[in-house]
Each structure stands twice: as structure tokens, then as C-alpha cells.
Amino acid sequence: MDWLQVWVLALVQGLTEFLPISSAAHLILVPVLTAWEDQGLAFDVAIHVGTLVAIVAYFRHEVAVVTRAWVRQVGGNGATPESMLAWAVIFGTLPAALAGLIFAGVIEAHLRSPLVIATTTIGFALLLWLADWRGRGSRDEFGIRWRDILIVGGAQALALIPGTSRSGITMTAALLLGFSRRAAARYSFLLAIPIIALAGGYQTLQLVQAPPDTVNWLQIGVGAIVSGVAAWLSVHWFLKLIERIGMLPFVVYRLILGVILLWIFL
């Protein structure tokens, strides 16, 4: 890879991973527009690690609080809103993890086409707009119930289809359940931690099993740092602005992106 490719791919991964605009659609579009060669599995692992470190660092206080509450509950103390949120993250991850194990081959073989990505980018953008327009409420993430966990977790499993956007579909479900914009975003971001960790672990296993290859460790390190900083900034500003700007700018952006993909590939 040249350094322009390192910076662009790391920025795309970091900026789009947590925004409701579909990182998969962007990572498909970038090589089409640039004709770059595949960046390799080691770089993919690095930029995912960067985003994982960023989201854990950003929510370090919340992660510590809910983890301690969960440990206390497992140890025999009573349930609290904080321990319930920990359970919500754990059980909300299971549908996507199981769907990935069962359907990964089918998705890889049949659902990674540009037409599918364009269709899901547009379709789920409209659903996000509908949820933001009609479903927004005042509930926060600490009032989550088992029904909410089942619905949002099931929605997250749909994000295995490229173009859906993991953050977009989980925020959509949470908004329809009456969560505030900020609470929907915060729960979505907390759900991202185990999912990114699982995806990164799977990629690392593939990397270990692959034939040894020459790795540019400087580019790997820069890619991880750039993706991490970009992810931290995108989460920070999204949470600061979401109550004021709503989801409409992201919906419009996704519609434009979907149309561009259709124009390129049809």
C-alpha cells in the first residue's frame, strides 16, 4: 500500500464505523473509485483494533460502572439499572453472533453485490428517517427491558447484510421503541464493543492461519492510530450534535450514496 491508501482507508473505517451511514458501502466504494489493490488482512485487523480501542476509551466510565454492577449482581447482589444495561449488551450481541456463525457463508457468497449494498443503503436509510420522525421518545438506556434487548439485538443481526449499517439499524430499532436519540446512540455504541471484538478476533484467527506475508508495521500502526482517532472524534461529535440535527442529514447522505452506487454498478 502507499501512504495515501493507508490514510484514506483508516479514515473511512474510523469515521463510518459508528455513524449510521454504512461502513460496508464506503469500503466497497473506495476501491472502485481508486482501483487500489486489496489492503490485506493484517491492515483490516489493525483498523478494527483502532476503532475498538477508541470506543472502549470513549465509554471507559460507563464500561467500568456497568461491569462492576454486573459482577456484583452475579455475585449475589440485587439487579440495578447498570447491571441490566450490562446484560443488555451481552444478550443484545448474541443474535448477531449466532447469525454470523450460521449465515456468514451465504452472505459472503450472495449478498455482497453492489446492487444489494445500494438497495440496503437506501432502504434502511428511509427506515431510519421514519424511526426518527415517528418513534423518538424520552427513554434512556438504563431503562432498557428484555423486549427491547430482543428487538434491538435482532435488528443488529440484520447488519450482517452489507449496506444495512450496524449503528443505523440498532438506532432505528431503539428509536421505534421510544428511546431518545442520545440513548439510542449510546446503546448502539456500547453494543459495538463486543461485536467489533468478535469480528477482530475472527479476523485475527484468519490472519494466524494464513500463509506468512510481509507486513509493513509502520503502516499497520499508523492505520490503527488514524482509525482510532477518527472513530473517537466521530462518536464524540455525533453524541454532541444528535439531539439538534437529528438523523435527517445521515439519511440524505445515505440516499445520495445509494444512488451513486446504483449509477456506478447498473
Side-chain angles (χ1 to χ4, degrees), residues 80-101:
T80 65
E82 290 78 12
S83 66
M84 186 60 186
L85 182 57
W87 286 117
V89 172
I90 294 169
F91 283 102
T93 301
L94 293 180
L98 292 174
L101 288 174

Side-chain angles (χ1 to χ4, degrees), residues 114-134:
L115 182 58
V116 169
I117 293 172
T119 302
T120 52
T121 298
I122 293 171
F124 285 108
L126 295 174
L127 186 60
L128 176 61
W129 169 77
L130 179 65
D132 192 45
W133 177 53
R134 297 192 61 183

Side-chain angles (χ1 to χ4, degrees), residues 6 30 41-42 45 65-66 78 94 101 153 200 203 211 214 219 252:
V6 170
V30 167
L41 190 55
V45 171
V65 168
V66 300
L94 293 180
L101 288 174
Q203 287 182 319
T214 302
Q219 290 185 339
V252 171

